Amino acid sequence: MLTYHILFWFISLFPLCQCWSPTNSYAPGKVKCPSSDILRVANSISDEEDEWLQGRDKVTNKKIVEFLKYANMTDIDPEDYGKLNRSIHIGLAFSGGGYRAMLNGAGQLSALDERTKGPDGGKAKGLNGLLQASTYIAGLSGGSWLVGSVAFNNFTSIQDIVDHKTDIWNLKHSIVNYGGINVVKTYRYYKGISDDIDDKENAGFELSLTDTWGRALSHQFLSTTDDAGASMTFSSMQDWDVFKNYEMPFPIFVSDARAPHTKIISINSTLIEFNPFEMGSFDKSVYQFSKMKYLGTELKDGKTNGTCVSGFDNAGFVMGSSSSLFNQAVLRINTTSLSSTIKSLISEILKEVDQDEDDVAIYQPNPFYETDVGTSPHIAENDTLTIVDGGEDGQNIPLYPLTQPVRSVDVIFAYDNSADVKNWPNGASLTKTFARQFTETGNGTIFPYVPDVNTFINLNLTARPTFFGCDAKNLSSLLQHRNISTYSNQSSSYSIYDSPLIVYTANRPFSYWSNTSTFDLKYDDDERNSMIRNGFEVASRNNLTLDSEWPACVGCAIIRRLQERNGEEQTEQCKRCFERYCWDGTLDTKETEDRYNFTDEGTTSASDSTKGNGANLVSFSWALWLGSLIVLSFFGLN
């Protein structure tokens, strides 16, 4: 009987183990090459994503009906929206901004989750079920930490994290001083990181500081695994039941590609996305995707030498690739009060990695090496692909993957936890994404009109949720600026109704001054939970106290593009909602100062935004050494 139980246990684990790193460590290892090509042209989504999408549609069709019923919408039959020939696709996008973005975003995400409980143990007063109804969820930098924490922990809930049922996000000690006063714990932490990256180097792969940073992040975000995620890969998600059964949205992380040995990032920089199946870009500079599972395989013009590699796509390394700017935290180790023994160990770690470009993730071999599909010689002619923090081009909300017409996203809920002014958002990320469509890199996509950053503040568009692109017919003039070429995944059949409506929600204070520094590296549980609570209030319009119709208005945004395609008239309820939340094109471009004292109605001119945790000097020592980075605006620390 004992032998039977042991055999059963082993068999039950096998499907999970076979899709992790083949070496069962941080090191990639050799595997059998796939029967299909590793590279493909980016003129569509992958066959794997398309197949997964068909299964997810069956789930979200039902969940959208449930949400519309919960929203108490009038003059529509929610059941009609579960019987569509073309499913409604909802995208969620969470901005960067360090732990501030992760924790505020966590509260915002919890407001969309039907699993979140209210204070009395019943249902919370938010947008319950919108998460379950969503098709895609994208994160960038700190937003990738949020999405990764949830996705890589079997699609856990923020509720379970707060209740310690999913034991992650122990932020009491800085990620640099992981053990606090427990020197032995900190030593073991760094020794483990050192051993992990040694494994990768000994396997023949070049290291970067992002390897160290990614392993450090994993100790906070993937701590439920025995090895703190050392052997967990992004592509392993393909074989998890929660993903195979379509019980979660499709996760996407965003980074920027940068030419080797340069520091230049601009609006034309290549955007790289990572998803469970692939890594690559829809931008014409690359216009290719590589199978995620086989990153690390040496390719020339898309062909292997007969040997393939798996395990390169470590989950922590991918999250680190989207937030590589924080590599600076590792380099400043001598400014800390750590013991000399630990500092010596860390110095040995840093000797092993390339610090010439200390804010990059090194992907070597480059999967797009010597290909002639993309237009960028910097990428195709280098055997190394260098990737940097996804917010360095100023597009701090990962909208671009969700605006690709091949994904047919109808509405995007964009959560902005950037640090544009006094660590509050001012809409700058949206202005960057809007401008990008007019460049060659924009590749023919359409993004709705948005105002300048002064208008965002002066009209209180960051103090409450704001809808952009409410009437698709008003976007027709943008069609004139499309630059469709052989490097586009669009066709002449693409119309203004395929441009998603944007629901923009910015961080603001309700119960907590949530504009903490991007470089705060530690939070006690009370601070952590207060940030999460405030994020919930931001997304729920303060527990629906500011607008009891808020769920219905969100429902109106969800069904808007479908109504427009079908020529349907909006209900009176939806017309009222759009009057409240849609930007009507009005501009107020005057420059004013001290505009971030928030009230229920919006902002006032008298500044009171630095009280409490607003300025947050708790981590002033960290902010001081990173202050020089802040002036480098092209880094997009937002």
Side-chain angles (χ1 to χ4, degrees):
M1 182 63 70
L2 180 61
T3 303
Y4 170 80
H5 283 302
I6 293 175
L7 180 62
F8 179 80
W9 173 82
F10 177 79
I11 293 173
S12 66
L13 283 182
F14 183 74
L16 182 62
C17 297
Q18 68 176 349
C19 57
W20 289 37
S21 170
T23 64
N24 201 32
S25 73
Y26 187 64
K30 294 180 180 179
V31 295
K32 182 180 179 180
C33 291
S35 57
S36 58
D37 291 338
I38 292 177
L39 284 190
R40 71 171 184 89
V41 176
N43 56 3
S44 65
I45 58 176
S46 67
D47 291 341
E48 294 86 351
E49 181 179 342
D50 183 59
E51 182 180 353
W52 182 91
L53 193 64
Q54 294 176 43
R56 179 63 179 168
D57 283 346
K58 295 177 182 177
V59 174
T60 58
N61 288 347
K62 296 177 181 178
K63 290 296 182 179
I64 286 174
V65 171
E66 290 178 14
F67 178 81
L68 297 179
K69 289 180 179 178
Y70 162 76
N72 196 27
M73 299 183 69
T74 59
D75 299 324
I76 70 164
D77 182 356
E79 294 290 349
D80 290 343
Y81 297 90
K83 309 169 185 175
L84 304 172
N85 292 328
R86 170 177 168 169
S87 296
I88 295 175
H89 290 166
I90 300 170
L92 308 176
F94 290 90
S95 80
Y99 290 97
R100 179 192 64 251
M102 182 183 80
L103 295 176
N104 283 317
Q108 292 151 5
L109 184 67
S110 70
L112 318 181
D113 193 340
E114 63 186 16
R115 299 170 292 182
T116 303
K117 300 175 184 176
D120 59 355
K123 290 289 187 181
K125 293 182 179 179
L127 300 175
N128 307 350
L130 184 59
L131 173 61
Q132 282 70 23
S134 297
T135 303
Y136 294 100
I137 182 169
L140 177 156
S141 198
S144 76
W145 305 348
L146 166 64
V147 175
S149 293
V150 171
F152 294 135
N153 283 282
N154 205 36
F155 189 50
T156 189
S157 66
I158 305 303
Q159 184 73 59
D160 279 355
I161 295 174
V162 171
D163 292 343
H164 299 286
K165 293 180 180 179
T166 301
D167 193 16
I168 61 174
W169 292 4
N170 182 355
L171 310 178
K172 296 176 184 177
H173 301 299
S174 160
I175 196 169
V176 178
N177 188 15
Y178 189 73
I181 62 173
N182 188 334
V183 178
V184 173
K185 182 177 181 180
T186 301
Y187 177 84
R188 289 174 176 169
Y189 166 69
Y190 279 110
K191 182 62 167 63
I193 291 175
S194 178
D195 291 344
D196 288 337
I197 66 174
D198 280 348
D199 289 341
K200 182 174 180 178
E201 184 178 40
N202 292 336
F205 294 89
E206 186 175 353
L207 300 177
S208 62
L209 276 174
T210 302
D211 287 285
T212 305
W213 176 244
R215 289 302 303 127
L217 290 175
S218 296
H219 280 264
Q220 290 187 332
F221 307 152
L222 307 177
S223 53
T224 56
T225 61
D226 292 338
D227 61 356
S231 58
M232 181 185 290
T233 61
F234 197 164
S235 57
S236 67
M237 190 181 297
Q238 299 175 27
D239 297 300
W240 299 353
D241 286 344
V242 69
F243 185 79
K244 289 195 299 182
N245 295 335
Y246 320 110
E247 297 170 10
M248 60 180 286
F250 190 84
I252 301 173
F253 298 161
V254 175
S255 297
D256 292 335
R258 191 171 76 190
H261 312 300
T262 72
K263 295 291 184 181
I264 299 174
I265 286 287
S266 71
I267 199 170
N268 281 315
S269 296
T270 299
L271 293 178
I272 300 290
E273 76 163 66
F274 300 82
N275 66 58
F277 298 118
E278 296 185 309
M279 179 269 262
S281 181
F282 288 107
D283 288 348
K284 62 191 297 184
S285 52
V286 173
Y287 204 58
Q288 296 168 95
F289 280 89
S290 170
K291 290 183 183 297
M292 178 72 87
K293 184 175 181 178
Y294 297 99
L295 287 180
T297 298
E298 185 174 345
L299 299 175
K300 288 186 178 180
D301 193 19
K303 307 300 182 183
T304 74
N305 59 10
T307 300
C308 288
V309 167
S310 187
F312 191 97
D313 61 317
N314 177 267
F317 184 59
V318 173
M319 285 190 284
S321 299
S322 186
S323 59
S324 62
L325 189 64
F326 287 82
N327 289 348
Q328 300 290 333
V330 181
L331 288 176
R332 297 294 175 168
I333 200 68
N334 286 328
T335 67
T336 70
S337 57
L338 294 175
S339 71
S340 58
T341 301
I342 294 175
K343 286 181 180 179
S344 177
L345 174 59
I346 297 169
S347 296
E348 289 301 313
I349 295 174
L350 296 181
K351 287 179 183 178
E352 300 177 32
V353 300
D354 182 3
Q355 296 180 49
D356 291 337
E357 296 181 288
D358 49 40
D359 64 331
V360 305
I362 292 178
Y363 282 71
Q364 202 282 329
N366 170 17
F368 312 113
Y369 182 49
E370 292 191 354
T371 58
D372 59 4
V373 176
T375 60
S376 171
H378 295 299
I379 293 176
E381 295 176 5
N382 283 280
D383 64 356
T384 298
L385 177 66
T386 53
I387 290 176
V388 297
D389 190 290
E392 289 195 15
D393 64 351
Q395 295 184 89
N396 202 40
I397 307 174
L399 294 166
Y400 192 63
L402 305 180
T403 61
Q404 296 300 318
V406 291
R407 288 200 162 114
S408 303
V409 176
D410 296 271
V411 58
I412 301 172
F413 292 84
Y415 292 97
D416 193 355
N417 299 296
S418 301
D420 299 317
V421 179
K422 296 182 181 179
N423 289 338
W424 298 113
N426 66 0
S429 180
L430 292 191
T431 68
K432 294 286 187 182
T433 302
F434 173 77
R436 195 177 196 262
Q437 69 185 311
F438 303 116
T439 69
E440 287 190 0
T441 313
N443 212 14
T445 55
I446 293 181
F447 190 79
Y449 289 103
V450 297
D452 63 290
V453 294
N454 288 327
T455 297
F456 264 99
I457 304 305
N458 295 333
L459 298 185
N460 289 330
L461 303 183
T462 62
R464 59 171 175 79
T466 306
F467 298 176
F468 296 99
C470 292
D471 292 308
K473 63 179 180 295
N474 293 335
L475 307 179
S476 57
S477 59
L478 295 174
L479 290 173
Q480 303 170 13
H481 300 283
R482 294 168 64 206
N483 182 28
I484 299 178
S485 67
T486 56
Y487 297 96
S488 176
N489 53 33
Q490 301 179 35
S491 67
S492 58
S493 62
Y494 177 52
S495 76
I496 53 177
Y497 301 113
D498 296 310
S499 173
L501 187 152
I502 308 296
V503 178
Y504 173 77
T505 304
N507 179 33
R508 57 156 298 180
F510 283 103
S511 59
Y512 196 75
W513 289 90
S514 53
N515 60 328
T516 54
S517 169
T518 301
F519 298 104
D520 274 3
L521 299 182
K522 61 179 181 179
Y523 292 80
D524 63 34
D525 281 355
D526 286 343
E527 292 172 321
R528 181 195 73 172
N529 294 343
S530 294
M531 293 280 283
I532 293 173
R533 174 183 174 183
N534 190 78
F536 181 97
E537 292 160 351
V538 167
S540 66
R541 303 248 57 207
N542 202 11
N543 302 294
L544 306 185
T545 60
L546 295 181
D547 186 355
S548 61
E549 261 192 326
W550 174 231
C553 292
V554 166
C556 293
I558 290 172
I559 66 175
R560 177 57 174 165
R561 285 294 185 261
L562 175 67
Q563 289 178 321
E564 290 181 299
R565 290 190 195 96
N566 294 340
E568 299 174 11
E569 181 75 10
Q570 275 190 307
T571 66
E572 292 302 314
Q573 182 186 47
C574 287
K575 288 178 181 178
R576 292 195 306 270
C577 283
F578 274 39
E579 287 176 4
R580 287 204 293 276
Y581 292 107
C582 289
W583 176 56
D584 62 4
T586 301
L587 298 174
D588 184 348
T589 61
K590 65 178 179 294
E591 182 77 37
T592 58
E593 297 180 356
D594 298 330
R595 298 167 292 175
Y596 280 97
N597 180 32
F598 288 90
T599 68
D600 283 350
E601 291 74 30
T603 57
T604 67
S605 59
S607 177
D608 194 23
S609 65
T610 58
K611 70 180 182 181
N613 285 334
N616 199 357
L617 302 183
V618 175
S619 296
F620 179 73
S621 61
W622 290 109
L624 185 62
W625 56 257
L626 285 160
S628 61
L629 294 178
I630 297 175
V631 300
L632 301 176
S633 59
F634 66 84
F635 268 172
L637 300 189
N638 308 328

